[in-house]
Every structure is written in C-alpha cells, then in structure tokens.
C-alpha cells in the first residue's frame, strides 16, 4: 500500500511553545488513520498542519517536512488553495454556511469555476449521496442548512468537503458534539468513504479508533509515541506509555 502523506522531523511552535516535536509518520492511502492521545498532546495541531490550516495562526513556526504525493506542502510554489482542495477538512462542530443545503454543497465547486447548473446539480446529489444524507434532504435542498439536526449538519459538512473531490479527508473529532446514533452513522460513513478517500481522524474516543481505523497514532506531549496497525497497537502496544494510556492508567 502506498503512502499519500509523509511527515519527517516535523516540529511546530506557537510563539515560544513547542507543540509538535520531530513527528515522522507515513499515512497509507485509502485507509483510516486515527490520532489519539490526551487533550493538548498535539494531535489536532498535527492534523491542521497537513493542509496548512496552521498558517492562519499568528506566530507559528514550522520545521521539518510534510510531503503530499511527493510534493513538499511548504514549498514556496505550493498553491495552498489547491492543497486544501485536495486535502479537505471536517471540524469538531458542524459549521454549515447560513444558506440552503444546495448552496452549501455547490459553494466549493462554484469557487473553482463550475457554473453549469446541470453539473452543479450532479455534484450536489453525488456529494450528498457520498455522505449518506441524500435521502434525508433531497426534498428540502432549498431550505436553510441550519434547520438540520446536529448529526445531519455534520454529514452535510462532509458532503461539502467531498464536493470539490479531495483525495484526503481530515476529521477533527467529527462526532464529539453528536449523539450515539449520529456518531454511528458518521462511523459507518467513514468506513465506506475509505474506498475512495484517505481519512485521518482525531478522536478522544479510543473505542471509536478501534471500531473504524486501520492505523492508529498515539500522541503525547507533542511527540508521536507509537504508530501502527490499530489492532496490534491496542492488543500488543510496543511502548509502555501507549499501554498505560489505552488501559486508562493516565490521560
């Protein structure tokens, strides 16, 4: 299996505070990689580095490298808009735009120059089907997206990310604000999506990591302690710190 994103010796500082320490990891494509660890351990910071969302934070300094499909994402020639199109993001809290369901999905393709209505209709339907929400919203596409339930809003945000045809989907605790039924829908969806996309998901919920991910990375105090196949990492961790965390001795 080939790797789609590779980080080497990645360090990141917010001002004087070092948030990531020499992270080296290779993320296999068409898989789900879960990032676990206690709060403030660097997992969300690492996730946001992969599509340069951290560029938006003042005072950030980064060293080391991140390669996406053999391209250095920090190279001066890198088009950040293109990078974020290829590597989409779904946030912890559903954040639909205050506009219709249809316009939420069509927004990205329109910004990339697609104006043809038939083409937009097709993208909207395909994206909503891809996010397993089409049947619930197909009769109310012109209604405001803010009228959807929290779980529906989160699947709408996934559909919005899919609309620009990314290759990678970053998910920052996408189910932490949702009830158990909505959570299981998102988990089922993630399992389906990995056939076409690579997913990197930050989760506080270790059971979730076990249920849906192929690989797990355990972060602690800005360091990557252990990375490997999920089943092995949870059943036979190589590192004592990993074992202590997953058995609940700390964190």
């Amino acid at each position: 299996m080939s790797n789609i994103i590779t980080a080497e010796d990645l360090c990141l500082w917010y001002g004087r505070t070092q948030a990531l320490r020499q992270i080296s990891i290779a993320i296999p494509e068409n898989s789900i990689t879960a990032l676990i660890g206690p709060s403030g351990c660097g997992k969300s910071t690492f996730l946001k580095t992969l599509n340069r969302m951290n560029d938006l934070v003042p005072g950030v300094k980064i060293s080391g490298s991140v390669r996406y499909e053999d391209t250095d994402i920090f190279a001066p020639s890198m088009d950040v808009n293109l990078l974020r199109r290829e590597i989409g993001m779904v946030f912890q809290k559903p954040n639909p735009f205050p506009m219709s369901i249809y316009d939420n999905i069509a927004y990205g393709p329109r910004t990339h120059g697609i104006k043809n209505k038939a083409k937009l209709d097709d993208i909207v339907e395909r994206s909503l089907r891809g996010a397993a929400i089409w049947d619930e919203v197909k009769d109310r596409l012109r209604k405001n997206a803010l009228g959807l339930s929290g779980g529906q809003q989160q699947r709408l945000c996934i559909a919005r990310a899919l609309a620009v045809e990314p290759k990678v989907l970053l998910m920052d605790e996408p189910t932490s604000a949702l009830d158990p039924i909505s959570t299981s829908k998102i988990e089922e969806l993630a399992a389906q999506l990995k056939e076409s996309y690579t997913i990197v998901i930050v989760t506080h919920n270790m059971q979730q990591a076990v249920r849906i991910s192929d690989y797990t990375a355990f972060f602690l105090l800005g360091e990557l302690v252990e990375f490997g196949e999920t089943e092995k990492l949870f059943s036979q961790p190589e590192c004592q710190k990993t074992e202590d965390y997953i058995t609940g001795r700390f964190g």
Side-chain angles (χ1 to χ4, degrees):
M1 187 180 277
S2 57
N3 299 316
I4 192 164
I5 294 175
T6 309
E8 278 186 31
D9 291 332
L10 179 68
C11 299
L12 182 144
W13 292 262
Y14 293 123
R16 292 186 179 170
T17 309
Q18 190 166 0
L20 295 177
R21 299 169 187 275
Q22 291 180 311
I23 307 294
S24 293
I25 186 172
I27 293 169
E29 67 179 341
N30 294 110
S31 64
I32 299 178
T33 299
L35 311 181
I36 63 167
S39 291
C41 67
K43 53 192 190 294
S44 287
T45 297
F46 173 70
L47 189 78
K48 288 177 188 152
T49 304
L50 300 181
N51 70 347
R52 291 186 48 179
M53 291 295 278
N54 285 321
D55 288 17
L56 308 169
V57 183
V60 158
K61 195 170 101 221
I62 294 172
S63 68
S65 73
V66 177
R67 299 189 77 77
Y68 163 66
E69 292 192 324
D70 287 336
T71 306
D72 174 5
I73 71 165
F74 300 120
S77 59
M78 181 47 124
D79 178 341
V80 178
N81 289 326
L82 185 66
L83 178 72
R84 290 184 189 144
R85 181 180 173 174
E86 297 263 313
I87 304 180
M89 184 112 188
V90 177
F91 296 92
Q92 187 169 356
K93 271 190 74 163
N95 58 344
F97 303 138
M99 51 177 77
S100 74
I101 293 168
Y102 183 98
D103 287 337
N104 261 272
I105 308 300
Y107 183 87
R110 280 182 183 135
T111 61
H112 293 296
I114 297 172
K115 301 282 186 268
N116 179 301
K117 184 176 182 307
K119 199 162 185 191
L120 287 171
D121 288 351
D122 180 55
I123 290 170
V124 168
E125 179 172 346
R126 195 173 65 230
S127 305
L128 290 167
R129 282 190 188 279
I133 191 175
W134 170 253
D135 290 336
E136 294 166 52
V137 301
K138 63 182 184 215
D139 300 324
R140 47 200 275 214
L141 294 177
R142 297 296 170 191
K143 297 249 169 65
N144 194 312
L146 301 179
L148 297 171
S149 71
Q152 288 173 324
Q153 286 187 11
Q154 192 61 300
R155 278 181 291 144
L156 178 76
C157 292
I158 293 171
R160 189 174 69 198
L162 298 182
V164 294
E165 301 184 342
K167 291 188 180 172
V168 180
L169 212 47
L170 308 178
M171 297 183 164
D172 193 1
E173 295 196 53
T175 62
S176 65
L178 304 180
D179 60 89
I181 290 171
S182 299
T183 295
S184 71
K185 280 188 175 166
I186 301 271
E187 289 182 3
E188 282 168 27
L189 173 57
Q192 291 163 15
L193 290 174
K194 77 171 179 188
E195 291 175 19
S196 310
Y197 307 89
T198 302
I199 295 173
V200 186
I201 182 169
V202 168
T203 178
H204 259 111
N205 181 329
M206 281 188 276
Q207 285 74 32
Q208 182 172 67
V210 171
R211 281 194 301 267
I212 69 167
S213 71
D214 304 293
Y215 300 90
T216 296
F218 170 50
F219 282 75
L220 186 64
L221 301 172
E223 292 179 359
L224 176 62
V225 176
E226 189 167 341
F227 173 65
E229 292 181 9
T230 298
E231 203 174 319
K232 186 171 180 300
L233 185 135
F234 278 94
S235 59
Q236 302 164 294
E238 288 175 9
C239 187
Q240 186 62 47
K241 287 176 182 170
T242 312
E243 188 167 333
D244 290 348
Y245 181 69
I246 61 182
T247 54
R249 291 197 193 110
F250 73 89

